[in-house]
Amino acid sequence: MKFYTNSIKSCTARIGKLTEFNRIPNSNFETPLVLVYTKSGSVPHLTKDVFEMVTSDPQMLSVSLSSTYQMFESVKDTNINFANFVGMKEYINILTLHDPAYATPSGFQEMDFTPIWTRKGKCKLSPKQYMDVIEAFKPDMYVALYDGDTKINSSRKRLSNAIRRTTTFFEKCFSIHSSSETLKSSEILGVIEGGYDKEARSWSIEFLKDKPLIGYVIDGLHNNGPDVKNISTEQIKEIVEYTVNLLPVEKLKVSMGCWNPLTVLDLVELGIDVFDTSYPYVITENLEALTFLCDHQDCNNIGHVISFTEKRYADDFSPICRLCECLACKNHTRAYLHHLCNTKEMLSTVLLMIHNLHQYFEFFKIIRENIKNGTLDDYKKKINLKFKTQNDIVQTDDQ
């Protein structure tokens, strides 16, 4: 697997390419890229057949160990890779530790173990146990074991412990990775920790920057979950910019979590290459539809989301967006979606997930086009207006 970029500057929006995958040699992905969020290896609310109708473009899947760990023994016994086990062999997959759509409980770290939270509760993993899972799953790319239990108000002691444990875990994981015949075709990502402390970030980067890695995950900014969408760029910009400036320009930079589209655009401008679709999943779970791409009069969508729990849509027989090409917009009305949501029909989240994923895929296509055209700043201003208008509407309704 290789990552190429023409960018020679840090902290700048850039186009790159991920290519030369061992398992699917013809796969090529342009960055900035969004990974498809999965639960138990599948796209939430969608069967594989339906997902294939959402997009015909090649996609990369984000697979969290917390949602798949219960499959470990079965995957190991069948002796096939995880992609084949879950019937998603056509897709490149990246294995991560925690589920970005759900808050990771804080304060359960131990010296030689990292906890993950599965359907059966807490499971403790040592580096050896973690690498046993990796060798069974055989992901195309995976994140080294880490301690990412930090956020904006973490103490220096917590930051120091997180870095010390993450570096120790990496050394053990990388040693097993390097000697493993099974993992010769898998790439490992290093994890940059340090919370919001620049000195701590420097320690973490100094340890990893010369390692033979395809890229890095910039972690430790949050504990996952829906609240991440409320984190503003102002909170994270300084520390992300500092971190990216210290990392090798030519390496891949990843930031997981359900960042809102405004923050995604700012992170793209800071040189982040890879994100995930946990944001549209969280929006779907809220029974909302993304409308922040709408910039025309026909739809009358002036904010970035609409909620189908609101009575105003009960007699609205227009689609979510008249110019959207997704299956939900081409075949169903807002009134029907309002009915489905209020009667708690399963089809409601199916249709909303179809629409929200389609919108997010289009969003990243537009980001790449604007980077190539040198118009990303103008596009950011347009999207900012959508979020500003939505906030104005909310404040007016509250009054």
Side-chain angles (χ1 to χ4, degrees):
M1 188 185 308
K2 302 291 184 183
F3 175 66
Y4 303 97
T5 178
N6 292 327
S7 175
I8 57 173
K9 290 176 59 180
S10 294
C11 287
T12 187
R14 63 191 191 164
I15 297 293
K17 181 177 282 190
L18 274 166
T19 186
E20 298 183 34
F21 294 90
N22 184 276
R23 189 169 62 85
I24 311 178
N26 294 329
S27 290
N28 293 286
F29 300 93
E30 206 169 40
T31 63
L33 166 73
V34 63
L35 307 175
V36 181
Y37 167 79
T38 65
K39 292 176 70 176
S40 301
S42 300
V43 182
H45 303 304
L46 306 183
T47 64
K48 183 181 178 182
D49 290 343
V50 172
F51 177 62
E52 288 173 344
M53 290 189 284
V54 174
T55 176
S56 59
D57 297 332
Q59 301 293 338
M60 294 181 68
L61 307 183
S62 168
V63 179
S64 67
L65 188 57
S66 58
S67 73
T68 57
Y69 184 62
Q70 303 302 323
M71 302 180 188
F72 168 48
E73 293 297 337
S74 297
V75 174
K76 184 179 178 180
D77 290 343
T78 57
N79 197 30
I80 59 175
N81 64 39
F82 180 81
N84 279 274
F85 184 82
V86 296
M88 300 293 271
K89 63 182 180 181
E90 303 88 349
Y91 300 99
I92 297 295
N93 62 84
I94 296 181
L95 185 71
T96 63
L97 199 59
H98 303 296
D99 189 325
Y102 295 90
T104 304
S106 183
F108 292 88
Q109 303 296 329
E110 296 181 32
M111 182 60 67
D112 300 317
F113 301 90
T114 280
I116 59 170
W117 302 86
T118 72
R119 287 180 299 172
K120 293 186 177 180
K122 184 178 73 170
C123 294
K124 299 190 301 182
L125 290 175
S126 67
K128 175 63 169 61
Q129 291 170 320
Y130 180 66
M131 293 305 293
D132 286 344
V133 177
I134 298 299
E135 289 196 306
F137 280 21
K138 306 175 187 68
D140 299 293
M141 192 185 304
Y142 69 97
V143 178
L145 193 65
Y146 61 92
D147 173 359
D149 186 13
T150 61
K151 45 194 172 184
I152 195 165
N153 57 353
S154 294
S155 67
R156 290 298 299 271
K157 182 178 180 180
R158 173 84 282 271
L159 296 177
S160 177
N161 287 338
I163 293 170
R164 184 170 63 252
R165 295 175 71 247
T166 298
T167 55
T168 300
F169 289 165
F170 177 86
E171 287 178 329
K172 293 178 179 179
C173 288
F174 192 71
S175 175
I176 296 171
H177 175 93
S178 301
S179 60
S180 172
E181 288 293 321
T182 305
L183 298 177
K184 277 189 173 180
S185 60
S186 297
E187 292 287 345
I188 184 171
L189 291 165
V191 184
I192 306 298
E193 297 294 352
Y196 290 75
D197 186 284
K198 291 181 180 179
E199 185 179 1
R201 288 276 168 187
S202 298
W203 296 338
S204 184
I205 293 166
E206 189 63 30
F207 170 77
L208 281 177
K209 70 178 183 180
D210 294 324
K211 300 291 189 294
L213 303 170
I214 194 170
Y216 312 93
V217 177
I218 298 175
D219 191 59
L221 298 171
H222 56 74
N223 287 110
N224 300 305
D227 288 346
V228 173
K229 71 183 187 329
N230 301 321
I231 297 177
S232 66
T233 301
E234 287 72 22
Q235 178 177 320
I236 63 172
K237 181 177 180 179
E238 185 177 352
I239 194 65
V240 172
E241 185 173 22
Y242 179 83
T243 302
V244 172
N245 271 324
L246 292 180
L247 290 171
V249 175
E250 71 278 7
K251 296 297 181 72
L252 191 71
K253 281 89 174 178
V254 180
S255 181
M256 306 296 288
C258 53
W259 303 111
N260 70 66
L262 291 181
T263 305
V264 167
L265 286 168
D266 288 325
L267 288 171
V268 165
E269 281 199 322
L270 292 173
I272 304 301
D273 303 295
V274 179
F275 302 85
D276 67 81
T277 63
S278 54
Y279 177 77
Y281 168 71
V282 166
I283 294 298
T284 298
E285 293 295 285
N286 290 340
L287 302 181
E288 295 173 330
L290 293 172
T291 56
F292 69 96
L293 295 186
C294 301
D295 59 356
H296 38 77
Q297 297 299 318
D298 288 340
C299 287
N300 199 28
N301 291 328
I302 58 176
H304 68 278
V305 295
I306 58 177
S307 172
F308 286 105
T309 60
E310 297 180 19
K311 293 181 179 179
R312 71 178 83 179
Y313 301 112
D315 298 314
D316 187 340
F317 296 99
S318 62
I320 301 170
C321 172
R322 283 192 174 92
L323 297 186
C324 180
E325 292 296 315
C326 81
L327 295 171
C329 287
K330 292 174 74 173
N331 295 286
H332 302 288
T333 67
R334 297 179 184 185
Y336 184 54
L337 282 161
H338 175 270
H339 162 72
L340 293 174
C341 290
N342 282 276
T343 54
K344 297 180 171 56
E345 290 283 353
M346 290 176 62
L347 184 57
S348 62
T349 49
V350 172
L351 294 177
L352 288 173
M353 194 69 181
I354 288 171
H355 172 79
N356 291 335
L357 270 182
H358 175 84
Q359 290 281 297
Y360 223 60
F361 292 150
E362 290 300 305
F363 177 46
F364 274 80
K365 288 180 184 177
I366 295 170
I367 288 174
R368 292 191 291 269
E369 289 171 5
N370 278 277
I371 293 174
K372 293 173 185 176
N373 296 334
T375 55
L376 187 62
D377 193 54
D378 292 336
Y379 182 64
K380 275 182 59 181
K381 291 175 183 176
K382 183 188 294 186
I383 299 301
N384 263 282
L385 285 175
K386 281 286 181 181
F387 280 78
K388 182 179 184 301
T389 303
Q390 186 94 36
N391 291 335
D392 291 342
I393 293 171
V394 171
Q395 290 173 6
T396 302
D397 290 345
D398 290 343
Q399 292 173 359

